[in-house]
Amino acid sequence: MSKQQTLKSKSDERVFDAIVYAIAAVIMIIVLYPLVYVVSASFSDPSKVLSGDVWLLPKGISLDAYTSIMDNDKIWRGYLNSIIYTVVGTVINILMTLLAAYPLSRPDLPGRNGFMVLITLTMFFGGGLIPTYLLVKDLGMVNTMWALIIPGAIATYNLIVMRTYFQTSIPWELQEAAHMDGCSNWRLLLSIILPLSKPIIAVMVLFYAVGHWNSFFPALIYLQNEELHPLQLVLREILMISQSAFEGGSIGLEKQILLAETIKFAVIIISSLPVLIMYPFVQKHFVKGVMIGSIKG
Amino acid sequence: MKSAQTSAASLTPSQPKRGSGLPRKIAKRYDLYLMLLLPIAWYLIFHYGPLYGLQIAFKNFNPAKGIFGSPWEGFGHFERFFDSYYFWRLLWNTISINLFSLLIAFPIPILLALLVNEIRSKHFSKWLQNITYIPHFISVVVIVGILNAMLSPTGPINMLIEALGGTPTRFLEEAGWFKTIFIGSNIWQNMGWQSIIYIAALSGVNPQLYEAAKMDGASRLRRIWHVSLPGIAPVIVILLILDIGHFMNVGFEKILLMQNNLNLESSDVISTFVYTTGVLKGEYSYTAAIGLFNSVINLILLLMVNRFARKTSETSLW
């Protein structure tokens, strides 16, 4: 390569780098802007939001939206319900996934492939919404929290990820040795497999828990009783259907309608808070989960 | 799935030979079957149970008589659906939303991963990744809430349009905008998360290949084209097949939340129709038939794509 060529390719490289960084910066702005806007609007004076004055930073700082959320029973009840559903649901998810994934990871289990086919087929074909709905109804789960938890007790994708982890990350020799020493399969699972599987279990807890926290559709079809509504359903009502959730306060109607505007932003923040606070701590685990999942591909 | 199978096979233990025979092998591992009892029962009830219930698509379901006792109807529900005035609208909306998603939204995470791969500063690339992952964890309800806020007549998008001299648009109430907004916000929410798998695949590409291409005088764009892309091609094929595997169902919950009477013309899809007519209006047999039609189309698509992929690229699900 002549010297001139090298110089030319060097400046080409620099132009290329500049373009790469510019595109990356634009992407970050596009992703962040709506989030920043929601946060700013939630802390702003409602009239400034409605007039379009708020576009990046909060204008006429006001905490009214948050204080009126604090007084709202519906939101608190939804919050509490969501916490219960998330905790109970995730515990059941983990137990069931573990109980399925471990035996199916064992190469010495007769009939293993048959079970795997039975399970994998469900990823590609199912009865659909209506037969599932009728089944849950027949089982008497409507208007109980079990309708949100039992029908989704195992996510097949997660089961396969966990099984792959057991197969690839825990040496089979170790399990065989334990067997030689007369260790039963239950003890093997509890005292050898579980302690070695903390990373994957952490990932599964996070996947399942975020799923429960964010889910609204099963609650929409199975829970008619408002007292049981999880946060996402309460949110849907506030964000999409009406402002009725906040009617009947002591403030004037005009102010109420104004306030309803910023309340929408504040409930978005309040409801996303648990997941977003957790995010920086767990993001590397999430990524790991996706990576393990990709091994199977 | 293939690699999981082979890795399992390589782990196959050296069985102790005494007293072999299948019954004995099974009896020795009865506790493993005990563990499987609950999960397998669950699969039979909650995945195969609805398959049994699917027979109501060919019956006139009567809750009093139950699934088994209801009288047969044959293909009447299917005929009614195919003859209905909304059949083509539902089919077109379902197919077009998913087709446009596949064409526009599917390549974006690949491009993002290639971009991340070209960033030399590790620090900067981590920031880019972590920021683009955030929206993945936001619930559908909140996403649609944010869309409402951003696109409302007094929201920032319309303010910008006005400042630039345009006329504000009620984006969410116009059928013409529905698909664009739906797909655009999906990209916003998922591009980062979906890029993870490609970024992982890219980090597995042999660095010597890049060095060799550089020696041959390949520019960076050419290196992306000739080294990076072929390196992740198998992953792309698998994810494409998986995406097509739920072609007819994508985004149901979000579409339901974004739907209103004004945009129904382009937001009414098969799955939302099944919900509103089946669950809300109680026409169980009719909508079970529509759901079955949807699943069958989906399955046929999946089988076709998998076959095609196996023939052309030797990468397939099975």
Side-chain angles (χ1 to χ4, degrees):
Chain A
M1 229 184 267
S2 73
K3 202 174 171 191
Q4 224 166 3
Q5 260 176 324
T6 338
L7 272 178
K8 183 177 169 293
S9 75
K10 268 225 172 105
S11 75
D12 275 357
E13 291 269 298
R14 232 169 259 146
V15 172
F16 191 89
D17 272 335
I19 294 173
V20 164
Y21 280 97
I23 298 175
V26 170
I27 292 175
M28 288 203 266
I29 291 169
I30 290 174
V31 171
L32 283 177
Y33 178 68
L35 304 175
V36 172
Y37 174 75
V38 171
V39 174
S40 296
S42 76
F43 287 108
S44 295
D45 182 340
S47 60
K48 296 263 200 261
V49 177
L50 270 182
S51 64
D53 283 342
V54 178
W55 65 274
L56 186 64
L57 296 173
K59 291 263 165 67
I61 303 263
S62 145
L63 290 173
D64 290 355
Y66 288 95
T67 48
S68 60
I69 287 178
M70 294 296 161
D71 294 339
N72 188 283
D73 291 343
K74 260 189 177 173
I75 288 182
W76 284 118
R77 203 170 51 214
Y79 225 97
L80 186 67
N81 284 338
S82 278
I83 291 173
I84 295 170
Y85 302 158
T86 301
V87 172
V88 178
T90 307
V91 168
I92 290 179
N93 286 143
I94 296 294
L95 279 177
M96 290 287 279
T97 310
L98 202 63
L99 284 179
Y102 177 63
L104 293 172
S105 78
R106 289 276 297 260
D108 60 337
L109 182 81
R112 182 176 77 146
N113 287 341
F115 289 125
M116 278 316 289
V117 169
L118 182 95
I119 286 169
T120 319
L121 277 184
T122 64
M123 287 177 90
F124 302 111
F125 197 82
L129 176 66
I130 299 299
T132 310
Y133 172 74
L134 292 177
L135 176 73
V136 173
K137 229 168 128 178
D138 280 348
L139 292 172
M141 291 181 180
V142 169
N143 271 329
T144 68
M145 71 178 219
W146 304 112
L148 314 187
I149 291 172
I150 307 289
I154 300 178
T156 303
Y157 178 80
N158 289 351
L159 162 58
I160 292 176
V161 169
M162 202 185 242
R163 173 181 178 261
T164 308
Y165 182 90
F166 290 152
Q167 283 176 343
T168 52
S169 309
I170 297 174
W172 172 244
E173 291 73 25
L174 189 67
Q175 301 187 44
E176 265 191 324
H179 262 298
M180 295 287 178
D181 295 343
C183 179
S184 78
N185 285 317
W186 286 102
R187 261 207 44 211
L188 193 64
L189 175 61
L190 291 177
S191 46
I192 294 180
I193 305 294
L194 276 188
L196 288 175
S197 309
K198 275 184 203 140
I200 191 67
I201 291 174
V203 170
M204 290 295 138
V205 168
L206 299 167
F207 278 166
Y208 279 125
V210 170
H212 282 293
W213 187 262
N214 285 343
S215 122
F216 87 98
F217 187 68
L220 179 68
I221 58 177
Y222 296 127
L223 302 181
Q224 276 84 47
N225 183 352
E226 272 196 18
E227 305 226 323
L228 296 173
H229 280 185
L231 185 60
Q232 298 297 331
L233 264 198
V234 180
L235 263 182
R236 169 173 169 271
E237 195 179 323
I238 295 170
L239 293 176
M240 268 142 256
I241 299 186
S242 64
Q243 287 115 20
S244 65
F246 284 91
E247 268 167 18
S250 53
I251 46 176
L253 185 65
E254 195 187 340
K255 207 181 161 201
Q256 242 180 64
I257 292 170
L258 271 178
L259 193 56
E261 223 22 65
T262 47
I263 281 174
K264 289 181 179 179
F265 295 103
V267 289
I268 287 178
I269 305 289
I270 294 279
S271 70
S272 309
L273 215 54
V275 177
L276 291 182
I277 286 177
M278 192 172 82
Y279 178 72
F281 300 102
V282 299
Q283 88 34 50
K284 61 176 189 288
H285 293 295
F286 274 119
V287 173
K288 207 187 290 161
V290 175
M291 302 279 196
I292 297 169
S294 71
I295 296 173
K296 88 180 179 79
Chain B
M1 225 147 284
K2 261 184 186 161
S3 65
Q5 229 88 38
T6 45
S7 69
S10 66
L11 281 173
T12 306
S14 47
Q15 290 283 344
K17 279 280 181 270
R18 79 194 136 86
S20 58
L22 196 62
R24 167 122 198 183
K25 268 192 203 166
I26 293 175
K28 231 180 97 188
R29 296 176 184 83
Y30 75 96
D31 44 0
L32 289 179
Y33 293 100
L34 221 55
M35 291 178 196
L36 273 176
L37 194 65
L38 222 48
I40 293 294
W42 179 84
Y43 267 100
L44 290 178
I45 296 172
F46 288 98
H47 282 280
Y48 290 90
L51 280 181
Y52 168 80
L54 208 45
Q55 59 178 284
I56 65 167
F58 305 96
K59 287 183 163 179
N60 273 322
F61 178 65
N62 179 342
K65 289 180 181 162
I67 291 170
F68 188 74
S70 296
W72 289 97
E73 160 73 28
F75 286 89
H77 299 302
F78 295 90
E79 278 163 21
R80 179 182 156 202
F81 180 52
F82 299 147
D83 290 341
S84 68
Y85 71 93
Y86 44 73
F87 172 70
W88 289 108
R89 181 172 87 172
L90 289 177
L91 193 65
W92 164 246
N93 282 336
T94 306
I95 290 179
S96 63
I97 287 177
N98 286 292
L99 195 65
F100 295 151
S101 293
L102 217 52
L103 291 176
I104 300 159
F106 184 80
I108 299 228
I110 303 173
L111 295 176
L112 179 61
L114 293 172
L115 184 80
V116 167
N117 201 42
E118 291 301 319
I119 292 173
R120 291 164 196 238
S121 151
K122 275 268 164 287
H123 202 67
F124 189 80
S125 117
K126 272 272 160 283
W127 269 97
L128 175 62
Q129 291 175 56
N130 286 338
I131 285 175
T132 52
Y133 299 160
I134 296 174
H136 174 81
F137 300 101
I138 299 175
S139 76
V140 229
V141 178
V142 167
I143 292 281
V144 177
I146 294 179
L147 272 179
N148 284 343
M150 296 298 293
L151 297 170
S152 84
T154 56
I157 303 281
N158 270 320
M159 287 299 147
L160 182 70
I161 289 174
E162 250 182 306
L164 296 174
T167 39
T169 314
R170 289 181 166 268
F171 291 100
L172 293 161
E173 291 164 12
E174 278 187 25
W177 277 101
F178 177 80
K179 287 167 193 169
T180 312
I181 295 168
F182 176 79
I183 294 170
S185 57
N186 274 353
I187 294 174
W188 179 80
Q189 183 173 19
N190 296 319
M191 65 175 170
W193 188 253
Q194 290 168 348
S195 73
I196 294 178
I197 215 163
Y198 299 113
I199 294 171
L202 278 170
S203 67
V205 175
N206 186 349
Q208 287 181 336
L209 291 176
Y210 288 105
E211 282 306 313
K214 205 171 168 183
M215 286 297 169
D216 290 344
S219 69
R220 282 177 66 187
L221 269 179
R222 293 196 74 87
R223 273 178 260 161
I224 293 176
W225 185 254
H226 291 290
V227 180
S228 300
L229 264 183
I232 59 172
V235 181
I236 296 178
V237 173
I238 290 286
L239 288 185
L240 191 61
I241 300 174
L242 283 176
D243 260 25
I244 292 172
H246 37 240
F247 186 83
M248 305 287 281
N249 298 316
V250 158
F252 157 65
E253 297 189 351
K254 189 165 152 197
I255 295 177
L256 193 64
L257 289 171
M258 287 175 69
Q259 223 169 45
N260 54 49
N261 287 329
L262 296 163
N263 66 22
L264 207 57
E265 190 192 321
S266 55
S267 67
D268 206 12
V269 296
I270 293 177
S271 46
T272 56
F273 182 82
V274 168
Y275 166 69
T276 47
T277 311
V279 176
L280 296 185
K281 293 185 191 148
E283 295 199 43
Y284 298 131
S285 276
Y286 180 46
T287 47
I290 299 174
L292 177 59
F293 167 76
N294 200 40
S295 309
V296 168
I297 299 258
N298 209 4
L299 191 66
I300 293 173
L301 274 174
L302 176 70
L303 294 174
M304 272 170 30
V305 171
N306 191 57
R307 202 189 154 95
F308 179 74
R310 196 169 43 187
K311 276 198 174 151
T312 53
S313 68
E314 295 180 351
T315 313
S316 66
L317 283 183
W318 61 81

